[in-house]
Amino acid sequence: GENVEQHPSTLSVQEGDSAVIKCTYSDSASNYFPWYKQELGKRPQLIIDIRSNVGEKKDQRIAVTLNKTAKHFSLHITETQPEDSAVYFCAARQQAGTALIFGKGTTLSVSS
Amino acid sequence: DGGITQSPKYLFRKEGQNVTLSCEQNLNHDAMYWYRQDPGQGLRLIYYSQIVNDFQKGDIAEGYSVSREKKESFPLTVTSAQKNPTAFYLCASSIPQFRLRGTGELFFGEGSRLTVL
């Protein structure tokens, strides 16, 4: 089955800096790669996703890039703010009709 | 107010007892999922169901059971066979990607925290 590795497990940045979180997946048939944000005490929520026919997607300060050949994808957050502090999870799905497999998460801390 | 509701929020259980966690959604989603969240372990898939009366095991199904008798309900039973059941359990639902307008986005409940005494 699919296996998703996520790095780093913790990331501390200063406000205004950029943050990058990287994930690799094992199954070349995977075609959907979302990122979820979980604030302390809250439920995970989708912040951005990308499908395998696209190399990059942006939404304001966040972007995701996908390298299908290398089987890795990354989350980029620019101009970080304290409210970006949360746990971020990457995930991959092998095919429609199967479930998302998540990475172990990255705890991002943005200090002002 | 549409959404996905989990109950109870907190649950305490003695060793050897079975316990059932409730998950109800009124989003008219076909698919429902159960994940277990432990510190440093991410979200691990227990069971999922794409349609009523059908479900599949996830990566850590041992010691758990589910049913999907109704579209809006997907209860999870943590049995006495689960060796380390203390954890935070998250239920989610989605419109599968293969459905029209299906994006595959998961909508999560607020979770249930189970503690075995």
Side-chain angles (χ1 to χ4, degrees), chain A residues 26-47:
Chain A
S26 60
D27 192 334
S28 56
S30 290
N31 58 13
Y32 175 63
F33 309 94
W35 287 87
Y36 283 77
K37 175 183 180 182
Q38 186 178 29
E39 297 177 3
L40 190 63
K42 295 190 176 180
R43 69 190 85 187
Q45 291 192 305
L46 178 71
I47 55 171

Side-chain angles (χ1 to χ4, degrees), chain A residues 36 38 43 51 93 97 100, chain B residues 35 37 97 104 106 108 110:
Chain A
Y36 283 77
Q38 186 178 29
R43 69 190 85 187
R51 300 185 192 277
R93 190 199 318 269
L100 285 176
Chain B
Y35 288 91
Q37 184 172 18
Q97 279 178 264
L106 294 186
F108 285 91
E110 292 190 321

Side-chain angles (χ1 to χ4, degrees), chain A residues 33-73:
Chain A
F33 309 94
W35 287 87
Y36 283 77
K37 175 183 180 182
Q38 186 178 29
E39 297 177 3
L40 190 63
K42 295 190 176 180
R43 69 190 85 187
Q45 291 192 305
L46 178 71
I47 55 171
I48 195 167
D49 58 13
I50 192 167
R51 300 185 192 277
S52 58
N53 57 348
V54 175
E56 183 176 4
K57 184 177 178 181
K58 287 184 179 180
D59 183 4
Q60 299 182 350
R61 295 187 298 109
I62 61 172
V64 56
T65 58
L66 172 64
N67 183 326
K68 286 176 57 180
T69 303
K71 290 189 285 186
H72 68 70
F73 55 112

